[in-house]
């Protein structure tokens, strides 16, 4: 199976990115699938306004992927902007993508409602660029977090439109979303998101992680009283990293009373540090020295596949 997915270097990856996407990405590579993973830096330009930040984040995301087990000899890892054809295909797809379709995008509607973002055109056409990233490589499956399901559905709609006008050109990909993960909640109870500042990191220093975990919003109850287990952010995160027995133990501590949210947060922090111990150790040994070569190798492999798609697109649209 051909697999394509991506991550925005709009900040440092968090455990939501890991559970919703990156963990699956590495597992699919290990299962021997034909995987392409894209550090989508053109997308990050819709929110970052500092070149030094983008440079640091995109290298950071690539190194984080490698530390989490991505093997550049098994999967193709590359920077989106190394292949300007992504922007070119996005333009072409934009000429068939209905405006009304993009207006329905949850992320766009959310941004309009909040009105607190720089509402640039790139943010509006984000799903078209994402369609280009995906359709460029004709994948069968697009493994993403639950929040990105709509974008993959839009990719299918745009591909169908294009095929309707220009004849069979693109395969319609299927989103693959881990049901057990769903949408991971951030420290404030909203979707964990780099732009909400409510994330818990993977590779941050221990004192930073501690601060993030200790900042999780909890109910206000007396220490001696039982703590409610419904809609508890700590438990929902702990569940993702522990066995059912460990989860039951923590739940019974909640029910017993006298435990306190401080102890629950400490248990979560311990679990996170244990779960990522190997990756965190690996990450300290990685630096940007050989990264250029690894990313250039990925771009070269991706370029060969992109050329095939673009040749067909030029031929079918008459742009040859
Ligand atoms: N909270 C989440 N729960 C489950 N999956 C998530 N993903 C992101 N947040 C969660 C999945 O991670 C992959 C990479 O996401 P992205 O960086 O490309 O963009 P995003 O979804 O917009 O992530 P953020 O953190 O919310 O970034 P900003 O704030 O910059 O927009 C995707 O597969 C995504 O589903």
């Amino acid at each position: 199976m051909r697999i394509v997915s991506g991550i925005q270097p709009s900040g440092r990856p968090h455990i939501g990115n890991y559970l919703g996407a990156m963990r699956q990405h590495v597992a699919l590579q290990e299962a021997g699938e034909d995987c392409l993973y894209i550090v989508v830096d053109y997308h990050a330009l819709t929110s970052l306004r500092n070149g030094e930040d983008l440079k640091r984040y995109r290298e950071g995301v690539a190194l984080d992927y490698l530390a989490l087990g991505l093997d550049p000899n098994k999967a193709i890892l590359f920077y989106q902007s190394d292949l300007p054809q992504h922007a070119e295909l996005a333009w072409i797809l934009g000429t068939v993508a209905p405006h009304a379709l993009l207006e329905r995008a949850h992320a766009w509607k959310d941004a309009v409602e909040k009105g607190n973002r720089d509402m640039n055109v790139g943010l509006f056409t984000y799903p078209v660029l994402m369609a280009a990233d995906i359709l460029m490589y004709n994948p069968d499956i697009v493994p993403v977090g639950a929040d990105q399901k709509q974008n993959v559905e839009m990719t299918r709609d745009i591909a169908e439109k294009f095929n309707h006008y220009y004849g069979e050109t693109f395969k319609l990909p299927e989103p693959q979303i881990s049901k057990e993960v769903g949408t991971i909640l951030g420290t404030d109870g909203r979707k964990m998101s780099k732009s909400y500042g409510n994330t818990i990191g993977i590779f941050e220093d221990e004192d930073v992680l501690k601060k993030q975990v200790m900042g999780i919003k909890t109910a206000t109850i007396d220490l001696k009283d039982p703590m409610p287990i419904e809609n508890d952010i700590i438990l929902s995160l702990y569940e993702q990293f522990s066995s059912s027995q460990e989860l039951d133990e923590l739940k019974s501590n909640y029910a017993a009373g006298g435990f306190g949210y401080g102890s629950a947060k400490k248990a979560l922090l311990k679990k996170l540090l244990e779960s990522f111990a190997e990756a965190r150790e690996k990450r300290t040994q990685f630096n940007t020295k050989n990264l250029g070569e690894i990313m250039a190798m990925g771009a070269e492999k991706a370029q060969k596949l992109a050329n095939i798609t673009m040749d067909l697109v030029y031929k079918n649209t008459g742009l040859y």
Side-chain angles (χ1 to χ4, degrees):
M1 276 198 306
R2 168 74 54 80
I3 312 289
V4 172
S5 195
I7 182 162
Q8 268 200 92
S10 47
R12 296 202 73 178
H14 48 76
I15 59 173
N17 297 137
Y18 172 74
L19 295 165
M22 297 168 98
R23 181 169 65 176
Q24 285 199 73
H25 296 171
V26 174
L28 287 160
Q29 159 208 287
E30 287 307 312
E33 306 298 359
D34 174 14
C35 303
L36 290 105
Y37 298 127
I38 317 171
V39 180
V40 291
D41 45 9
Y42 281 151
H43 285 277
L45 286 176
T46 61
S47 59
L48 285 184
R49 294 290 174 237
N50 180 309
E52 281 306 310
D53 284 348
L54 181 60
K55 184 177 183 308
R56 198 175 68 249
Y57 288 143
R58 65 178 212 151
E59 288 176 353
V61 167
L63 292 170
D64 290 352
Y65 248 132
L66 297 174
L68 288 167
L70 191 134
D71 179 345
N73 293 309
K74 292 183 184 167
I76 301 178
L77 177 69
F78 63 102
Y79 297 129
Q80 182 185 31
S81 62
D82 276 346
L83 275 83
Q85 287 89 343
H86 283 243
E88 186 185 3
L89 182 58
W91 172 261
I92 296 170
L93 295 176
T95 65
V96 302
H99 194 273
L101 178 76
L102 302 186
E103 279 180 325
R104 288 200 293 274
H106 301 319
W108 173 255
K109 286 202 305 198
D110 192 48
V112 170
E113 256 166 46
K114 292 201 180 90
N116 57 359
R117 276 190 81 157
D118 161 11
M119 303 299 289
N120 55 76
V121 174
L123 204 58
F124 183 67
T125 56
Y126 194 105
V128 183
L129 181 55
M130 184 161 160
D133 302 336
I134 296 170
L135 298 175
M136 185 73 87
Y137 303 100
N138 272 312
D140 303 282
I141 302 288
V142 182
V144 285
D147 63 309
Q148 295 277 354
K149 183 167 181 270
Q150 189 194 31
N151 280 342
V152 183
E153 285 164 357
M154 286 189 174
T155 295
R156 290 171 60 91
D157 292 341
I158 295 170
E160 269 185 321
K161 269 263 181 237
F162 190 95
N163 290 348
H164 170 74
Y165 289 129
Y166 294 113
E168 207 57 30
T169 309
F170 299 117
K171 190 154 70 184
L172 305 190
E174 293 289 339
Q176 179 171 291
I177 292 150
S178 166
K179 279 199 195 70
E180 306 80 58
V181 173
T183 298
I184 298 298
L185 299 183
T187 53
D188 59 1
R190 294 183 292 170
K191 179 202 140 185
M192 188 175 288
S193 183
K194 296 177 214 102
S195 48
Y196 291 161
N198 63 356
T199 60
I200 296 176
I202 305 168
F203 295 105
E204 274 76 357
D205 290 341
E206 199 172 324
D207 55 334
V208 175
L209 283 185
K210 186 173 176 194
K211 214 168 155 206
Q212 292 172 336
V213 171
M214 291 299 165
I216 294 175
K217 212 168 105 187
T218 54
T220 315
I221 57 148
D222 215 279
L223 178 64
K224 65 178 182 343
D225 291 335
M227 291 142 57
I229 58 169
E230 296 80 29
N231 306 319
D232 183 87
I233 304 168
I234 305 168
L235 282 176
S236 74
L237 295 175
Y238 191 81
E239 181 175 15
Q240 296 294 332
F241 295 96
S242 58
S243 66
S244 54
Q245 193 192 341
E246 288 169 323
L247 179 65
D248 286 346
E249 273 170 30
L250 187 57
K251 279 184 178 169
S252 48
N253 284 332
Y254 267 57
F259 186 61
Y261 286 112
S263 308
K265 288 174 182 176
K266 275 189 197 141
L268 174 62
L269 179 64
K270 185 165 174 270
K271 186 48 75 188
L272 291 174
L273 289 170
E274 267 168 31
S275 305
F276 291 115
E278 199 187 319
R280 286 169 65 84
E281 172 57 29
K282 258 201 208 166
R283 184 65 176 80
T284 60
Q285 292 153 21
F286 286 153
N287 54 49
T288 48
K289 214 164 133 232
N290 300 325
L291 187 65
E293 267 171 45
I294 291 175
M295 300 311 278
M297 176 176 84
E300 200 182 322
K301 290 180 188 167
Q303 185 68 71
K304 291 198 176 104
L305 301 170
N307 288 346
I308 299 170
T309 303
M310 291 311 288
D311 278 351
L312 187 61
V313 168
Y314 297 148
K315 181 166 157 282
N316 291 355
T317 51
L319 286 170
Y320 245 139

